Amino acid sequence: MRTNKRLTFGICGTYLEHYSAVKLFLSADGNGGRESDSILPRSPLRVKPKSVSICFKNNRLLAQRRRVFSCTAIYNPQFQIKEEGQPETLDYRVFFLDNSGKKISPWHDIPLHLGDGMFNFIVEIPKESSAKMEVATDELYTPIKQDTKKGKLRYYPYNINWNYGLLPQTWEDPSSANAEVEGAFGDNDPVDVVEIGENRAKIGQVLKVKPLAALAMIDEGELDWKIVAISLDDPKAPLVNDVDDVEKHFPGTLTAIRDWFRDYKIPDGKPANKFGLGNKPANKDYALKVITETNESWAKLVKRSIPGGELSLV
């Protein structure tokens, strides 16, 4: 029977007023352990992360200071991904598993909010690729798969130039008309994200992002929001906090995103998509409003306050 126990508490930074929450590491043996909710700095860190290691020995309390982790690894999602089948086949699926190996839904079980205006973003389509990957909202545990049409795999006519995916725990309600966007109804899917950072992500990767703008795309009469965001790990992330910053530090990107989504169906003989809100990107506050409203719609969906039709709620 072990008589000596060590509890390790890790606190990133030294001034708690800079944080909206505290990250707590607990370990029974000093070799790492469970993590609590993440911390999110309100201002840039100016000190190296440290921790206080608290040891109990013979009912005496001993304390010492030592470094235990870096602030770049604050959020460690408790899941794994598992591929089934071969990529670019009809059977290919990317499932999400918890630490016990049980399947979970990336749409329903991964949290949306990280606090302080930051969110989890699930990558479906890595930048510079064309396979139309998406969460299968009508399949058990909603794995990521390649979309099909008439039994054939779907591809964009050209590569998408940004990481593309969804915000978990959001839903665009097809029974709700948006008076601000030509009365268009939701497209029955989670909210889409266009992540503009420099790194190419992987299918199933979860990134911490901050929203910067919103585009109100209208696809065959359905409202299909595109939230423009940036990964917190991107070198330019501290420089961009709203729509005007995007134009300053990523000149031409917002126009390129709008034009890409406007035109990508034209090679298939379909008309160009339209955009509401004056054909312009809305600012960060509006993007946060969209996220809040669609998160509320998702909550009603999973509580079955709104009919889900063929959607999987597991």
Side-chain angles (χ1 to χ4, degrees):
M1 179 176 179
R2 183 177 298 177
T3 57
N4 296 337
K5 291 186 177 180
R6 176 185 295 267
L7 295 178
T8 302
F9 297 81
I11 301 177
C12 187
T14 58
Y15 300 103
L16 294 183
E17 63 266 25
H18 289 298
Y19 297 89
S20 60
V22 175
K23 177 79 164 184
L24 187 62
F25 287 72
L26 286 89
S27 173
D29 56 9
N31 295 319
R34 293 185 296 107
E35 299 178 10
S36 75
D37 291 337
S38 59
I39 62 172
L40 295 166
R42 298 189 187 279
S43 61
L45 294 171
R46 294 182 173 84
V47 294
K48 294 182 178 180
K50 296 181 179 179
S51 74
V52 178
S53 180
I54 301 177
C55 306
F56 292 91
K57 184 175 183 180
N58 298 328
N59 295 324
R60 295 178 58 195
L61 179 64
L62 305 175
Q64 60 182 1
R65 299 178 68 87
R66 65 185 180 89
R67 298 173 189 168
V68 291
F69 69 100
S70 70
C71 291
T72 58
I74 287 173
Y75 177 65
N76 181 25
Q78 300 299 304
F79 68 88
Q80 308 167 43
I81 61 171
K82 178 184 178 182
E83 296 178 286
E84 295 185 3
Q86 294 298 315
E88 299 189 64
T89 68
L90 294 173
D91 296 328
Y92 182 65
R93 299 289 185 276
V94 178
F95 284 97
F96 287 65
L97 312 177
D98 66 16
N99 281 346
S100 69
K102 179 184 176 181
K103 289 179 179 178
I104 62 173
S105 165
W107 181 19
H108 301 308
D109 295 324
I110 292 179
L112 168 64
H113 295 279
L114 287 168
D116 207 22
M118 311 301 176
F119 302 90
N120 280 323
F121 156 58
I122 301 169
V123 179
E124 295 169 304
I125 305 174
K127 68 189 298 185
E128 306 307 332
S129 63
S130 64
K132 193 175 186 302
M133 309 300 297
E134 62 179 24
V135 161
T137 57
D138 59 349
E139 294 186 12
L140 197 62
Y141 301 114
T142 65
I144 296 175
K145 69 171 187 177
Q146 188 167 350
D147 191 24
T148 60
K149 184 175 182 180
K150 296 181 179 179
K152 295 183 178 180
L153 297 173
R154 293 186 65 188
Y155 293 85
Y156 290 121
Y158 31 72
N159 285 350
I160 190 166
N161 306 123
W162 312 273
N163 294 312
Y164 187 57
L166 65 95
L167 289 174
Q169 300 185 345
T170 61
W171 180 56
E172 299 186 49
D173 183 356
S175 68
S176 177
N178 192 311
E180 297 178 359
V181 188
E182 302 182 19
F185 291 83
D187 72 346
N188 202 32
D189 281 326
V191 172
D192 296 326
V193 172
V194 183
E195 193 277 314
I196 63 174
E198 67 178 17
N199 292 327
R200 185 178 189 267
K202 298 178 181 179
I203 296 174
Q205 189 171 354
V206 178
L207 300 179
K208 299 170 290 184
V209 299
K210 57 180 175 181
L212 305 169
L215 286 161
M217 190 176 93
I218 303 173
D219 181 358
E220 298 182 17
E222 295 180 336
L223 179 55
D224 187 1
W225 287 106
K226 308 297 179 189
I227 302 296
V228 179
I230 190 167
S231 170
L232 299 187
D233 291 332
D234 192 83
K236 290 186 178 181
L239 304 176
V240 287
N241 295 291
D242 212 327
V243 63
D244 293 336
D245 298 328
V246 179
E247 192 57 40
K248 179 179 179 181
H249 296 283
F250 295 85
T253 295
L254 291 170
T255 299
I257 292 171
R258 184 197 62 198
D259 292 353
W260 194 98
F261 283 99
R262 181 193 65 196
D263 298 339
Y264 80 90
K265 290 187 175 182
I266 292 177
D268 292 332
K270 294 184 177 181
N273 290 319
K274 299 190 301 179
F275 287 85
L277 304 180
N279 205 38
K280 297 179 180 179
N283 64 15
K284 177 179 181 176
D285 285 343
Y286 201 100
L288 292 174
K289 173 176 173 284
V290 170
I291 295 170
T292 297
E293 290 176 350
T294 53
N295 177 235
E296 291 171 351
S297 294
W298 169 84
K300 293 176 182 177
L301 173 68
V302 295
K303 291 176 182 176
R304 293 172 170 78
S305 301
I306 300 175
E310 297 181 355
L311 297 176
S312 173
L313 304 183
V314 176

